Amino acid sequence: MNKLLAEEIYYLMELGRRFELAAKEHYMQGDISGFLHLDIGQEALSVAAMKAFEKGDVFSTYREHVMAIARGIDPKAVMAELFGKVTGVSRGKGGSMHLFDPSHFFYGGDAIVGGHIPNAVGCAYARRYQGIDDGVMVIFGDGATNGGAFFESLNIASAWRLPLLFLCENNRYAIGTEITRVAPFLEQAKKAAPFMPTVEVDGMDAVAVYEAVREAQQQIQRGHGPIFVEAFTCRYEGHSMSDAGSYRSPQ
Ligand SMILES: Cc1ncc(C[n+]2csc(CCOP(=O)(O)OP(=O)(O)O)c2C)c(N)n1
Ligand SMILES: [Mg+2]
């Protein structure tokens, strides 16, 4: 990675952290209503994945403010969306969980855990039909891999060899549930392994994430079908602003 890109990634991580801290403050003051899920701790993963996957379509979870900013969406439009203003990226109708901007090929933000994965499968199918080969990336948490929509998506994306990059942000928790209480193993890539190549990476290492996502995008662009990247990360805050996070030790 060259110095300029490394500096840009660091700048975006720092901007993302400050954005999230400002959002937290405004939430506590009552300026922002509804749900608010902060990305604090996971910025290396969010920023590096976006910078690596610069061209192509992106579908994400509700923990997506930093991704939207790293995608190139104006931070002011993201913050305005949290405030429910018409100047927001989704015209104030989406809120924190539904940042949506087709001009940046960024389709959310989705409040339904795993609900956006089949949407990304459909998009990958459409893009191949259209002859556009940039690829599609879908980002989801470890908890989403326990849902039926996830397995159905692995199945059909694999059967049809779709240009789809599955990116799992494994922060070990689905709200207060530690992943190994509801899955037989920590590594969720094992669920995808029968269907497609899998890669595991340290999600706290921006350079490693950048390289893994870039390489994965090149693979799907070659028409070899989908690929699964799992990045291990850590959210430092509670699941959302309504979670005190008392079920975890500081360690
Ligand atoms: C279908 C569905 N079931 C349950 C919920 C409630 N819910 C919201 S977030 C969440 C945890 C998801 O955890 P994970 O996928 O690991 O993402 P993370 O929040 O850790 O980024 C749950 C169960 C939901 N929004 N949608
Ligand atoms: Mg999780």
Side-chain angles (χ1 to χ4, degrees):
M1 177 182 293
N2 68 47
K3 188 165 178 279
L4 207 62
L5 180 59
E7 283 177 355
E8 190 188 354
I9 288 177
Y10 183 71
Y11 169 79
L12 288 166
M13 287 172 59
E14 182 68 32
L15 177 65
R17 173 69 60 92
R18 289 178 191 214
F19 181 97
E20 294 293 62
L21 289 170
K24 181 179 180 181
E25 200 176 313
H26 280 292
Y27 191 89
M28 290 190 301
Q29 287 167 2
D31 300 330
I32 296 170
S33 55
F35 286 98
L36 187 73
H37 306 83
L38 302 176
D39 205 30
I40 291 175
Q42 302 188 183
E43 296 94 342
L45 171 51
S46 297
V47 172
M50 286 303 135
K51 294 313 291 180
F53 203 93
E54 268 202 303
K55 284 185 85 182
D57 303 280
V58 175
F59 291 76
S60 148
T61 67
Y62 43 80
R63 201 180 295 288
E64 88 285 36
H65 312 153
V66 179
M67 289 176 203
I69 292 168
R71 191 74 179 161
I73 299 171
D74 183 356
K76 289 197 174 81
V78 177
M79 188 61 88
E81 189 60 38
L82 306 193
F83 275 67
K85 295 190 173 188
V86 72
T87 47
V89 60
S90 309
R91 305 186 63 76
K93 295 179 177 172
S96 159
M97 296 199 281
H98 303 101
L99 306 175
F100 190 93
D101 185 356
S103 71
H104 285 87
F105 303 94
F106 188 85
Y107 313 105
D110 195 315
I112 308 303
V113 172
H116 61 307
I117 306 177
N119 297 345
V121 172
C123 182
Y125 181 79
R127 290 310 193 200
R128 195 178 56 196
Y129 190 75
Q130 293 165 332
I132 298 168
D133 58 7
D134 295 328
V136 178
M137 177 163 69
V138 59
I139 305 167
F140 49 89
D142 46 286
T145 70
N146 296 322
F150 169 72
F151 288 96
E152 292 174 39
S153 299
L154 289 180
N155 182 68
I156 204 68
S158 162
W160 291 349
R161 300 176 80 77
L162 296 179
L164 182 57
L165 195 170
F166 290 84
L167 177 59
C168 178
E169 305 176 298
N170 189 339
N171 61 13
R172 300 179 71 126
Y173 280 86
I175 310 186
T177 303
E178 208 269 340
I179 184 69
T180 57
R181 288 176 58 204
V182 286
F185 30 67
L186 170 65
E187 302 84 4
Q188 303 313 302
K190 288 180 181 168
K191 293 174 178 168
F195 297 93
M196 61 191 70
T198 65
V199 179
E200 292 177 25
V201 65
D202 177 1
M204 305 304 277
D205 180 341
V207 178
V209 171
Y210 181 86
E211 282 168 2
V213 170
R214 206 171 143 81
E215 170 61 23
Q217 184 178 30
Q218 285 166 358
Q219 282 219 37
I220 61 172
Q221 287 173 340
R222 282 185 214 115
H224 295 165
I227 185 164
F228 188 100
V229 178
E230 179 169 20
F232 295 93
T233 185
C234 182
R235 67 164 158 78
Y236 295 170
E237 303 274 319
H239 168 74
S240 69
M241 287 300 292
S242 56
D243 173 16
S246 52
Y247 45 86
R248 292 189 302 173
S249 74
Q251 284 74 30

